[in-house]
Amino acid sequence: MTRFSSSVSQWRPWALDVATLLSAVVVLVGLVGLVGCTGRRGDRIALPEGGEAVLAKAETLKVNLTSEPPTLDWSKATDVSSSKVINNIMEGLVAYDLQSEELALRPALAEKWSSDKAARVWEFDLRADVKWQDGVEFSGQHVVDGFQRLLAKETGSEYAYFLFGIQNAKAFNQGQLGWEQVGVKLLSPRKLQVTLEAPMSYFPHLLAHTSTFPVRLDLIQKHATKWTEAGNLVGLGPYRLRAWRHDQDLLLEKHDGYWGNPKPSVRYVHFLMINEASTALNLFDAGTLDVVDQIPITERKRRRQQKEYRRVGMLQSLYYGFNTELAPMNNAKLRRAIAHAIDREKIVKILDGGEVPLTGWVPPGMFGYFSDVGLEHNVEKARELLAEAGYGEGKKPLPKLELHFNTNEVHQSVAEAVQAQLRENLGLELELKSAEWKSYLDQLKTKPPHVFRFGWQADYPDPDNFMNLMTSYSDNNRTRWKSTAYDALIKRGASETDREKRREIYREASRLLLEDGVAAVPLYANVSHMLIHQRVENYPANALSRFEFKGTRLK
Amino acid sequence: MSGKGLYILKRLAGAFVTLAVIATLTFTLLRVLPGGPFDTEKALPEEVKANIEARYGLDRPVLDQYLSFMGGILRGDLGESYKYVGRSVADIIGEALPVSMELGLMSLLVAYLVGIPLGVFAAARHNSAFDTGAMLIAVSGVALPSFMVGPLLVSIFSFGIPFAFLQGSLPPALWESPAHYILPVLTLGLRPAAILARMTRGAVLESIHQDFVRTARAKGVSERVVLFKHVLRNSLIPILSISGPLVAGLLSGSFIIEIIFAIPGIGKHLVQSVTNRDYPLILALTLVFSMMLVVANLVVDLLYGFVDPRVRPEKSGAGG
């Protein structure tokens, strides 16, 4: 060993090390030189029809799309990423006045609409001066084609049920009736008539949703599944799809022939697809992104101090549901006791993101929100109710309940807070269990636990969208709570056209659901946290997460 | 047919069986996994869900689905993604895999160019300060997870923390130009470089004691030739052994690196396709990755023969 070591030391390893180091330096310098010479590909994007778009900073808004849109086929899209893009490429018969207090509807492709007194037969007058982005004139047939395609069995669209309210639409979707028997008719090329199964005062809301937008069957036939690719996709909106590099980015350019108002101002909207919120934040800090709309919990406190920070209330409520058929949760008094024992203010404090405590079912910011409905935090009452339910000293021993949620740090902290509150206020033990999302959904469908977390985000800002969930016939009612009185109220609410009368119907229904039946306990309404660069003016941050960039300007 | 040809043929047949078993197992596991591709937050009415499932053939008996899936693979048809409407699985993989391979190849280059010389020098200067330092770096490289190394490099080279003069020298994410490649390649390459350095050092230390080294030195061969020709060549077996899984692993993308640096590669799909229950994509990715592993191992086994005549397949047979 000694001999070997001495022989090694004779070969002057330093000479070797220095040579290697030198060559490494040369390679590194070469690399850096190469990097310096190569322009950034990101500022130039090749277009499918040839040539390239040069994205000058002053005329390009860079936004994070978070993920690859699963599809830009608006009859099939169901997620936020897809609709962020679609809502700029396309428009529907109606749209939202995003500045109005309860998000009122405003005309878009339809210049006016009306219904019979019962709100069962609707007529829409379509605009005459509208052209698709390829110059083809827009007509009522495109609207009918859109409805038919959404409802057709072969399309296999998830949101087909959106139009099940139309006469015979459901039977058509199941292949039992032909299209001619469905209550959609063109009275003239510019006048559309829709007849519903039952009165529905909020029907126009459905036509602001991407799934019901008009379609061009000629283009779908021509390009088959590729009709949504850049170069093929033609819309009616203020922006055109210029490039779509899957899983990487997507480029929109303003369409000069846009018929509506305001005309788009920003030339390019460049969407990047950054999944990880902290990566998107890094890109914002580095000046690459102009907007990020997700801030990780750990960053919120620090980011709130930034002048770019914006907080937007969302039409999204989070609740704990009970399996009302599973003992002992079939005891309404026990459910009521639990509802009274939960302190929402404390939960919101823990989350520390400006979430709004919620006792009612509909979130604030839309028609149907009530601050005086539901069971408030009241420990004394909770204890009384628990005793009345038959638990406590000299009575049945307290049950051990399971609380399930899908794996997520926010849901975990809420669950832990509720667990602590029920232990402290009622002496009740909750066992927390979390599961991966799809397994969780499967469990809620087949075997809901005692208590489970869930939420709802508005498809459209009408109370029916929220209240309908808990009807006995809704697939989204995972509580197994059934009330014929509630079902009847929801049906009445849908058909009532007088706004104030409608409001009272929903107030009564909310009471039935949350105070009497206690099928669920609302916890809070969610908010979204954003950073918007100072150079961006009038960014469409709104409760509906409807991102229409036509009003946005760059300084 | 030569012995080597027969050996390769046998190995390929074995690989085919392996892949068939993997495909069957994956298919079965996916059907057992709770939650299906069309279980959504907003529950669909049963009849709507039935229409969608019919569109993708999910309403047919499972055995039928299995047979048409296997038949599709044999014809080279991997099917259509459930999540990404209208996109074929072949398209998705065809777009994402090259990106991951690009990243993987560059990281491999870093790993071998840094790892092997580091290991050789450390061994040659056994127990010196250089050795200790190199191994300290190597151990940290193995121990530090990439979700720490990545952000650490980003804060140094993109945001200049704590070295302000470095601020903005490299972009923090994206995959657009060579400047964008450096941080993810370093992050991904660090760990295999460290592993290689440790393995090389160990192997070199072992063969440096052998008689033929002493003979070579006695013959007056220069130390550089001794080290890099005689010693290193005889130390390559363990390095080669881990190279199979290493190459396959690096080329198939890294979920964490791709997420941290927003790289449009395949690693992300592997994880997300499972969360989405995108059956065709999961199955295709599992097969592609298995195939890469099988091929990489086969190549490594063949390379053994070049490095060490004792393990040449003609002599030791298919089992060698």
Side-chain angles (χ1 to χ4, degrees):
Chain A
M1 189 67 206
T2 339
R3 247 190 71 204
F4 169 72
S5 302
S6 61
S7 78
V8 166
S9 58
Q10 283 162 14
W11 65 274
R12 293 184 302 128
W14 280 118
L16 244 175
D17 291 355
V18 170
T20 319
L21 263 176
L22 270 176
S23 47
V25 167
V26 170
V27 169
L28 256 177
V29 168
L31 257 177
V32 171
L34 187 76
V35 168
C37 296
T38 325
R40 281 193 187 183
R41 264 194 275 157
D43 302 335
R44 294 166 177 273
I45 294 182
L47 302 174
E49 65 269 23
E52 56 181 19
V54 182
L55 311 185
K57 181 134 182 134
E59 44 181 29
T60 309
L61 176 70
K62 291 213 182 217
V63 184
N64 186 15
L65 197 54
T66 313
S67 59
E68 158 89 358
T71 177
L72 292 186
D73 179 340
W74 42 85
S75 312
K76 295 183 182 179
T78 56
D79 65 296
V80 178
S81 296
S82 304
S83 67
K84 242 184 202 179
V85 181
I86 294 170
N87 274 318
N88 289 288
I89 295 173
M90 258 316 277
E91 292 211 9
L93 295 198
V94 297
Y96 289 105
D97 179 358
L98 296 170
Q99 315 301 328
S100 65
E101 197 174 319
E102 286 181 340
L103 294 165
L105 285 171
R106 63 170 174 81
L109 290 171
E111 50 191 5
K112 58 181 194 289
W113 57 91
S114 60
S115 76
D116 62 348
K117 220 169 163 195
R120 195 166 162 258
V121 181
W122 289 81
E123 284 181 12
F124 296 84
D125 290 312
L126 308 178
R127 285 181 68 129
D129 55 344
V130 178
K131 285 199 167 89
W132 290 79
Q133 289 163 354
D134 61 353
V136 169
E137 201 173 315
F138 163 69
S139 87
Q141 190 57 45
H142 297 134
V143 184
V144 176
D145 291 344
F147 288 5
Q148 184 175 355
R149 184 161 181 271
L150 173 66
L151 283 166
K153 191 183 169 99
E154 312 76 70
T155 313
S157 173
E158 288 186 26
Y159 272 160
Y161 68 88
F162 250 56
L163 292 184
F164 277 6
I166 297 178
Q167 193 174 42
N168 291 334
K170 195 170 174 180
F172 170 71
N173 178 254
Q174 280 150 70
Q176 294 158 355
L177 286 178
W179 175 249
E180 59 288 345
Q181 281 161 285
V182 178
V184 178
K185 214 159 57 181
L186 271 185
L187 301 179
S188 79
R190 303 256 155 260
K191 202 170 185 78
L192 176 77
Q193 188 191 61
V194 180
T195 309
L196 305 177
E197 286 284 356
M200 197 191 279
S201 56
Y202 60 89
F203 179 71
H205 274 288
L206 302 180
L207 306 185
H209 194 269
T210 51
S211 62
T212 63
F213 286 177
V215 296
R216 283 276 298 280
L217 291 181
D218 56 327
L219 296 175
I220 297 174
Q221 249 153 28
K222 187 173 163 197
H223 303 293
T225 55
K226 300 286 174 211
W227 76 273
T228 52
E229 297 291 333
N232 301 342
L233 187 65
V234 174
L236 285 163
Y239 280 91
R240 283 189 303 151
L241 176 66
R242 295 310 305 276
W244 183 4
R245 298 186 292 185
H246 290 287
D247 292 306
Q248 191 171 355
D249 63 356
L250 194 147
L251 181 70
L252 303 184
E253 185 176 1
K254 72 174 175 180
H255 172 53
D256 292 327
Y258 174 60
W259 49 274
N261 277 309
K263 307 286 180 213
S265 152
V266 177
R267 178 162 182 202
Y268 290 114
V269 178
H270 189 200
F271 288 107
L272 300 180
M273 299 165 194
I274 320 288
N275 293 227
E276 176 59 33
S278 51
T279 305
L281 269 183
N282 282 344
L283 287 169
F284 180 86
D285 291 338
T288 308
L289 279 173
D290 288 309
V291 183
V292 283
D293 53 10
Q294 273 181 334
I295 301 180
I297 290 195
T298 46
E299 283 275 335
R300 277 182 202 161
K301 207 166 211 146
R302 188 162 75 87
R303 298 290 179 171
R304 268 205 297 258
Q305 318 302 325
Q306 261 174 265
K307 53 186 182 305
E308 292 98 341
Y309 177 81
R310 286 275 293 281
R311 187 163 67 201
V312 186
M314 288 168 78
L315 301 184
Q316 185 187 52
S317 57
L318 281 304
Y319 65 87
Y320 275 178
F322 298 112
N323 179 351
T324 58
E325 283 180 356
L326 178 67
M329 299 320 297
N330 50 1
N331 184 338
K333 282 190 174 144
L334 176 61
R335 304 201 293 269
R336 210 166 297 147
I338 291 177
H340 275 303
I342 293 177
D343 186 351
R344 298 169 182 82
E345 299 286 345
K346 263 192 192 155
I347 294 173
V348 167
K349 216 174 234 167
I350 289 169
L351 297 180
D352 192 31
E355 292 83 358
V356 186
L358 194 63
T359 54
W361 194 242
V362 174
M366 62 179 270
F367 175 55
Y369 166 69
F370 308 108
S371 57
D372 58 345
V373 161
L375 302 178
E376 77 295 359
H377 176 55
N378 185 335
V379 179
E380 229 166 89
K381 223 173 191 170
R383 287 180 184 152
E384 271 170 37
L385 281 161
L386 190 69
E388 279 177 40
Y391 297 100
E393 272 175 57
K395 296 174 181 166
K396 282 184 283 183
L398 286 168
K400 187 161 171 113
L401 304 175
E402 284 184 15
L403 164 58
H404 290 219
F405 52 95
N406 54 304
T407 314
N408 172 300
E409 54 177 342
V410 175
H411 306 334
Q412 175 85 36
S413 13
V414 174
E416 282 165 4
V418 170
Q419 183 188 41
Q421 290 174 8
L422 293 192
R423 185 182 296 141
E424 190 188 324
N425 297 338
L426 296 178
L428 206 58
E429 279 306 318
L430 281 184
E431 190 186 343
L432 306 190
K433 285 190 176 170
S434 71
E436 175 264 351
W437 181 234
K438 292 261 181 182
S439 314
Y440 183 65
L441 287 176
D442 187 66
Q443 195 204 352
L444 292 193
K445 193 168 63 182
T446 51
K447 200 170 167 275
H450 297 120
V451 191
F452 57 88
R453 179 216 81 87
F454 220 75
W456 188 263
Q457 167 143 25
D459 294 304
Y460 44 90
D462 185 87
D464 184 80
N465 191 234
F466 279 83
M467 303 299 291
N468 207 337
L469 299 182
M470 288 296 167
T471 53
S472 62
Y473 45 84
S474 163
D475 297 284
N476 285 298
N477 181 354
R478 294 161 172 100
T479 67
R480 310 198 166 181
W481 176 75
K482 292 183 180 74
S483 158
T484 42
Y486 184 82
D487 292 354
L489 279 171
I490 299 310
K491 281 189 179 142
R492 245 179 69 205
S495 61
E496 180 58 62
T497 48
D498 183 292
R499 200 170 164 88
E500 283 320 303
K501 279 188 195 157
R502 242 190 127 202
R503 205 188 290 272
E504 288 320 303
I505 292 171
Y506 287 124
R507 192 192 298 274
E508 196 185 334
S510 301
R511 291 225 154 99
L512 196 58
L513 170 69
L514 302 171
E515 297 175 12
D516 191 59
V518 204
V521 189
L523 296 177
Y524 59 90
N526 228 342
V527 288
S528 81
H529 308 267
M530 302 182 149
L531 293 176
I532 302 171
H533 197 283
Q534 301 277 291
R535 77 187 189 111
V536 182
E537 262 179 19
N538 202 17
Y539 184 82
N542 57 71
L544 264 181
S545 300
R546 226 180 140 96
F547 296 92
E548 295 168 15
F549 296 118
K550 61 183 174 184
T552 304
R553 288 174 301 275
L554 290 177
K555 273 192 274 196
Chain B
M1 192 179 281
S2 72
K4 187 175 279 181
L6 197 67
Y7 170 72
I8 293 179
L9 214 65
K10 274 187 186 167
R11 285 288 301 263
L12 284 179
F16 184 78
V17 175
T18 311
L19 290 177
V21 172
I22 289 173
T24 309
L25 269 178
T26 316
F27 184 92
T28 317
L29 283 175
L30 283 179
R31 302 305 152 128
V32 177
L33 202 62
F38 304 108
D39 285 330
T40 47
E41 178 166 18
K42 304 200 166 175
L44 303 175
E46 281 309 317
E47 43 294 303
V48 169
K49 203 171 157 189
N51 283 348
I52 301 171
E53 291 185 339
R55 195 175 165 273
Y56 291 104
L58 288 168
D59 54 339
R60 294 180 302 153
V62 177
L63 188 66
D64 248 31
Q65 294 179 39
Y66 171 72
L67 290 177
S68 63
F69 156 66
M70 291 301 259
I73 294 178
L74 290 178
R75 287 193 310 274
D77 174 13
L78 297 172
E80 194 187 328
S81 161
Y82 294 166
K83 172 81 179 175
Y84 302 103
V85 181
R87 280 182 80 196
S88 75
V89 166
D91 277 355
I92 295 176
I93 296 179
E95 279 168 45
L97 190 59
V99 176
S100 287
M101 290 181 99
E102 220 178 349
L103 168 65
L105 270 177
M106 288 192 267
S107 306
L108 267 180
L109 217 63
V110 168
Y112 283 103
L113 289 184
V114 173
I116 293 181
L118 203 66
V120 173
F121 289 139
R125 312 190 58 219
H126 188 38
N127 287 337
S128 69
F130 179 85
D131 182 23
T132 317
M135 284 309 109
L136 192 71
I137 295 173
V139 172
S140 329
V142 177
L144 286 176
S146 44
F147 61 80
M148 268 186 69
V149 176
L152 197 71
L153 291 179
V154 166
S155 50
I156 296 173
F157 291 101
S158 302
F159 299 112
I161 305 167
F163 312 107
F165 69 95
L166 283 174
Q167 188 178 0
S169 47
L170 289 172
L174 299 180
W175 193 250
E176 290 171 353
S177 70
H180 291 89
Y181 302 163
I182 296 178
L183 293 184
V185 164
L186 284 182
T187 312
L188 185 57
L190 178 69
R191 196 182 154 83
I195 294 174
L196 279 171
R198 287 178 55 80
M199 291 217 85
T200 310
R201 177 178 172 272
V204 167
L205 273 181
E206 205 164 284
S207 35
I208 220 165
H209 296 279
Q210 304 281 329
D211 289 344
F212 65 85
V213 176
R214 197 174 309 131
T215 313
R217 284 211 182 95
K219 274 165 46 187
V221 176
S222 86
E223 196 57 37
R224 181 186 290 224
V225 174
V226 168
L227 209 52
F228 279 90
K229 193 172 169 203
H230 300 277
V231 175
L232 185 58
R233 181 164 174 176
N234 280 284
S235 315
L236 278 180
I237 290 283
I239 299 173
L240 265 181
S241 302
I242 58 157
S243 289
L246 201 68
V247 170
L250 282 186
L251 294 190
S252 59
S254 150
F255 171 69
I256 293 174
I257 307 275
E258 286 175 14
I259 287 288
I260 294 178
F261 291 102
I263 297 168
I266 200 84
K268 191 180 68 183
H269 283 298
L270 188 66
V271 175
Q272 287 175 351
S273 63
V274 179
T275 338
N276 295 330
R277 303 287 192 274
D278 194 344
Y279 297 157
L281 190 54
I282 302 172
L283 286 163
L285 287 175
T286 315
L287 281 180
V288 168
F289 288 166
S290 313
M291 207 137 60
M292 284 166 70
L293 199 61
V294 166
V295 170
N297 277 331
L298 179 60
V299 171
V300 166
D301 284 355
L302 290 173
L303 283 178
Y304 279 150
F306 291 103
V307 177
D308 186 345
R310 283 169 303 181
V311 286
R312 239 162 236 176
E314 299 95 297
K315 289 182 184 165
S316 50

